[in-house]
């Protein structure tokens, strides 16, 4: 899975908004806190707003805040909002990929990859990240020394 800068920045922005609470947080504050280019962040926040994940208000008392409780916004929701589906094969859904002959089981592999990605990203919320409450399952996966090796 490729995690784009856009997705990484979007998740980080939502985590900052979750940690800030219900009030508006200025985009510049988020950008400075996470070292995200301000113009790029504005475009990302616009996508998140269009997806109904954040709301905004203009003006001196303006800024951004989460549209729903942080416990209800998953990392998967954010990635889908800014980059589209979590798992694609040649630009389409894995269930649409078909193979002949000895490669026939490859579709099953792609479906398993999608299931694995969903098993993490659909269950981790921005609240979990903002408050250091990742599940034991996620921490166990990340604790495997092999996942830290680049291959």
């Amino acid at each position: 899975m490729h995690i784009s800068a856009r997705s990484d920045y979007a998740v980080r922005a939502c985590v900052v908004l979750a940690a800030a609470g219900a009030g508006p947080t200025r985009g510049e504050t988020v950008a400075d806190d996470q070292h995200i280019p301000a113009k790029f962040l504005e475009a990302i926040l616009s996508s998140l707003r269009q997806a109904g994940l954040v709301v905004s208000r203009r003006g001196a008392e303006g800024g951004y805040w989460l549209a729903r409780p942080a416990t209800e916004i998953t990392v998967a929701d954010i990635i889908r909002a800014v980059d589209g589906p979590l798992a694609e094969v040649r630009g389409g859904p894995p269930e649409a990929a078909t193979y002949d002959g000895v490669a026939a089981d490859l579709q099953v592999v792609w479906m398993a990859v999608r299931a694995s990605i969903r098993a993490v990203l659909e269950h981790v919320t921005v609240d979990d990240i903002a408050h250091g409450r990742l599940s034991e399952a996620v921490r166990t996966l990340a604790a495997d020394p092999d996942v830290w090796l680049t291959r």
Side-chain angles (χ1 to χ4, degrees):
M1 175 181 184
H2 171 78
I3 301 167
S4 70
R6 189 170 170 81
S7 284
D8 180 57
Y9 291 167
V11 172
R12 289 163 51 193
C14 287
V15 169
V16 170
L17 297 178
T25 302
R26 299 188 58 76
E28 299 84 28
T29 302
V30 176
D32 290 345
D33 183 75
Q34 291 298 306
H35 311 289
I36 300 171
K39 289 287 186 193
F40 193 22
L41 179 62
E42 288 299 322
I44 291 166
L45 289 168
S46 177
S47 294
L48 293 171
R49 189 174 36 77
Q50 289 171 358
L53 297 176
V54 302
V55 291
S56 63
R57 180 173 60 217
R58 292 183 178 267
E61 300 297 318
Y64 296 88
W65 60 97
L66 297 177
R68 302 190 314 251
T71 56
E72 296 177 12
I73 299 174
T74 68
V75 174
D77 294 331
I78 298 165
I79 292 173
R80 287 182 181 120
V82 299
D83 275 337
L86 299 176
E88 292 185 316
V89 177
R90 297 184 320 266
E95 66 271 16
T98 57
Y99 303 93
D100 297 321
V102 296
D105 276 348
L106 189 53
Q107 182 188 45
V108 175
V109 173
W110 299 148
M111 297 304 291
V113 168
R114 176 200 265 173
S116 296
I117 291 168
R118 285 179 172 177
V120 174
L121 299 182
E122 289 182 346
H123 294 95
V124 175
T125 68
V126 293
D127 186 72
D128 295 333
I129 299 167
H131 297 102
R133 293 191 288 250
L134 296 177
S135 71
E136 193 58 37
V138 170
R139 291 193 184 278
T140 298
L141 286 170
D144 180 349
D146 281 348
V147 302
W148 295 90
L149 301 176
T150 302
R151 304 184 205 189

